[in-house]
Each structure stands twice: as structure tokens, then as C-alpha cells.
């Protein structure tokens, strides 16, 4: 089978007993960076020399079929550098290929930067969305954030420390300077820091320079108070701009709290 194994995101003490056992008995490990895996084995005191196969963003599509066939006869342990494989890390294409080939896929759960940041943020956790890394180019990043302006769920992003200040400034511009934001830095490590404030406040703070691995947690948009007539008008405006009626109704419903079906039917009738 294919075994997706979560590895520590910082503190080695977070390595589960199941992970240590799997690393100690594995004969084949597909790793994002084999050097990181060798270091992990040494750091955990594991004296095992499995076959290491490199599996990263640039070769995963080519390696997937080979690993799936290998997994028909032996377990293939899949590791990313930190956290759970497939979550903004290699593994998705391998899992997809295994599922299509009827090969069993399981997971050894464990550390996750996304869930850790969400849990400590103090922002609502009942509904959230993970958006991965924001685009590198400023224009693309601003467009991506504008598309999330009406997102009502708490949003979790990964971000580079070098781009954090400019990204927070873009959050303030696209989502509002008073939008609640939490920057989680170096989670589970010695210099762990959780900084809370508004987008504008944290953009100013980050301008002085920030180091380490960053998770950015952003509060969702508050539902606007809107009557049905206004909601229908917004649906029609979105449709006029090229959005499908069904999608427009869903977007306005999420932002206003109005019923999606009510918006759809009223807009359809008015049309």
C-alpha cells in the first residue's frame, strides 16, 4: 500500500510512535528531499537504511506510476519535508494514480501547520478554507485576494517571510485594513510566535522584517445585512459581468446570508 506519513513541522518530539515504527521498518521511502529524510532518521535515532526514492514537485507525475506498481508488492512510505504529504507538498498525483489503479492508500496522521495555525489563531474554526501559498507576483496576489473578499470562512495561507509585509498590505487593501489577521511564525519551534492584530497593524509590524516559516490566518468576511431586492441586483450585476446565474446566487448568498435558492429564483424571474 501507499502510506502517507506526517512528519514533525519543527519539534522532533511531535514524531508519533507510529511514525517512528514505520520509519524503523520501512523498506521503501518516497521522500520530497531524501537528505531531509536521512537527517530525520538520524535525529530520531533510527538505524534503518531503506531504499530512498526522490518524489518532488518536478518528478511526481513521472514517478507516480512506478511507485504505484511498487506498492502492489510492498509498502511505500511517503514523506514530505514537514507535515502531511499532499498538503501544499508532493503526493497528490501519487494518491490519484494509486486510487485509479486500485492500490490502497492510508495515512499516519500527525503534525499539520494548517491545523496548528488555525487552532492557535483565536479565529473561528467551525468553517475554514486552506488557500496554500499566495501568488508571488503582486498583481496576481491582489487578484486572488479580491476574489476572496466575500469569503465568510476563516482562511489559512502559507507565506514566505520575504513577502509577508507586502502580502499583509495587499490583504489590507483587498479585504479591509481592519480585517482580523494572525501571523503564526515558527510553529512548534523554540522561537514560535503568534502575532494578532488587524491587517494594517500587522503589515506595519512585518515591514521591519520577519524570519522563519509563516502561516497567515485571516478572518472571514462578516455577512452583510441585505434585503432580497439588493441581493438580486448584485446577482444580476455578477451575471452581467460573466458569472453563471447559479454561481452568482451562491456568491451573494455567502456574503449576505440570503437564501441561495431565493436569490436564484428571484433573479430568474426578473430576467
Amino acid at each position: 500500500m501507499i502510506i502517507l506519513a506526517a512528519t514533525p513541522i519543527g519539534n522532533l518530539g511531535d514524531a508519533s510512535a507510529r511514525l517512528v515504527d514505520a520509519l524503523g521498518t520501512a523498506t521503501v521511502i518516497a521522500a520530497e528531499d531524501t537528505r531531509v529524510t536521512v537527517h530525520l532518521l538520524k535525529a530520531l535515532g533510527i538505524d534503518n537504511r531503506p531504499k530512498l526514492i526522490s518524489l518532488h514537485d518536478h518528478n511526481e507525475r513521472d514517478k507516480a506510476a512506478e511507485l504505484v506498481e511498487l506498492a502492489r508488492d510492498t509498502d511505500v512510505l511517503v514523506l514530505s519535508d514537514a507535515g502531511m504529504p499532499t498538503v501544499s507538498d508532493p503526493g497528490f498525483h501519487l494518491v490519484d494514480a494509486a486510487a485509479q489503479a486500485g492500490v490502497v492508500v492510508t495515512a499516519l496522521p500527525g503534525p499539520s501547520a494548517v491545523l496548528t495555525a488555525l487552532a492557535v489563531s483565536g479565529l473561528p474554526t467551525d468553517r475554514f478554507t486552506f488557500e496554500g501559498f499566495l501568488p508571488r507576483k503582486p498583481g496576481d496576489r491582489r487578484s486572488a485576494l479580491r476574489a476572496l473578499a466575500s469569503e465568510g470562512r476563516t482562511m489559512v495561507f502559507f507565506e514566505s517571510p520575504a513577502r509577508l509585509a507586502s502580502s499583509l498590505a495587499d490583504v489590507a487593501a483587498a479585504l479591509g485594513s481592519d480585517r482580523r489577521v494572525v501571523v503564526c511564525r515558527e510553529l512548534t519551534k523554540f522561537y514560535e510566535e503568534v502575532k494578532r492584530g488587524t491587517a494594517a497593524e500587522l503589515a506595519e509590524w512585518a515591514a521591519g522584517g520577519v524570519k522563519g516559516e509563516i502561516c497567515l490566518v485571516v478572518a472571514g468576511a462578516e455577512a452583510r445585512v441585505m434585503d432580497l431586492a439588493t441581493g438580486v441586483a448584485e446577482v444580476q450585476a455578477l451575471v452581467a459581468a460573466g458569472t453563471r446565474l447559479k454561481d452568482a446566487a451562491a456568491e451573494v448568498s455567502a456574503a449576505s446570508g440570503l437564501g441561495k435558492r431565493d436569490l436564484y429564483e428571484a433573479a430568474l424571474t426578473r430576467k
Side-chain angles (χ1 to χ4, degrees):
M1 66 177 69
I2 301 286
I3 305 172
L4 306 175
T7 55
I9 59 176
N11 193 318
L12 281 175
D14 293 333
S16 70
R18 291 183 68 195
L19 173 65
V20 172
D21 180 65
L23 290 171
T25 57
T27 57
V28 178
I29 294 179
E32 181 179 7
D33 187 330
T34 56
R35 296 166 298 180
V36 173
T37 300
V38 169
H39 176 74
L40 179 64
L41 291 168
K42 289 180 179 178
L44 293 175
I46 297 172
D47 185 20
N48 182 27
R49 296 294 180 267
K51 178 181 179 181
L52 297 177
I53 300 174
S54 180
L55 182 73
H56 48 73
D57 288 335
H58 303 295
N59 74 352
E60 185 180 356
R61 290 179 183 274
D62 295 330
K63 286 284 186 180
E66 173 190 339
L67 289 171
V68 166
E69 289 308 307
L70 190 59
R72 293 187 188 278
D73 300 315
T74 188
D75 291 343
V76 176
L77 190 66
V78 180
L79 308 177
S80 58
D81 290 346
M84 177 60 75
T86 77
V87 182
S88 268
D89 278 326
F92 163 72
H93 296 294
L94 174 60
V95 172
D96 182 42
Q100 292 188 44
V103 171
V104 174
V105 179
T106 189
L108 304 184
S112 165
V114 177
L115 295 180
T116 303
L118 179 69
V120 303
S121 70
L123 296 176
T125 59
D126 53 338
R127 297 175 67 241
F128 71 95
T129 174
F130 174 55
E131 298 293 335
F133 280 94
L134 282 165
R136 292 173 179 266
K137 295 181 178 179
D140 294 340
R141 184 168 60 240
R142 293 178 197 126
S143 294
L145 286 168
R146 283 195 295 269
L148 293 169
S150 62
E151 173 58 67
R153 297 170 291 183
T154 299
M155 295 167 278
V156 184
F157 303 87
F158 288 158
E159 189 50 286
S160 157
R163 295 191 297 272
L164 180 62
S166 57
S167 289
L168 286 167
D170 288 340
V171 169
L175 307 184
S177 60
D178 60 347
R179 182 70 68 96
R180 288 192 298 161
V181 174
V182 181
V183 175
C184 301
R185 187 179 71 85
E186 294 289 87
L187 287 170
T188 78
K189 299 177 184 177
F190 184 78
Y191 291 105
E192 175 177 296
E193 181 180 22
V194 179
K195 192 78 172 177
R196 301 178 178 88
T198 65
E201 290 169 344
L202 293 188
E204 183 178 355
W205 163 77
V210 179
K211 296 181 179 180
E213 295 186 346
I214 305 293
C215 281
L216 186 61
V217 189
V218 180
E222 295 184 6
R224 292 174 292 160
V225 177
M226 184 186 301
D227 59 29
L228 183 60
T230 303
V232 171
E234 292 206 6
V235 169
Q236 290 178 315
L238 288 171
V239 171
T243 304
R244 291 193 313 163
L245 176 57
K246 182 178 179 181
D247 295 334
E251 182 175 333
V252 174
S253 174
S256 65
L258 293 168
K260 180 170 62 176
R261 184 171 180 178
D262 293 336
L263 287 165
Y264 179 88
E265 292 181 347
L268 193 63
T269 300
R270 186 173 296 184
K271 181 181 179 182

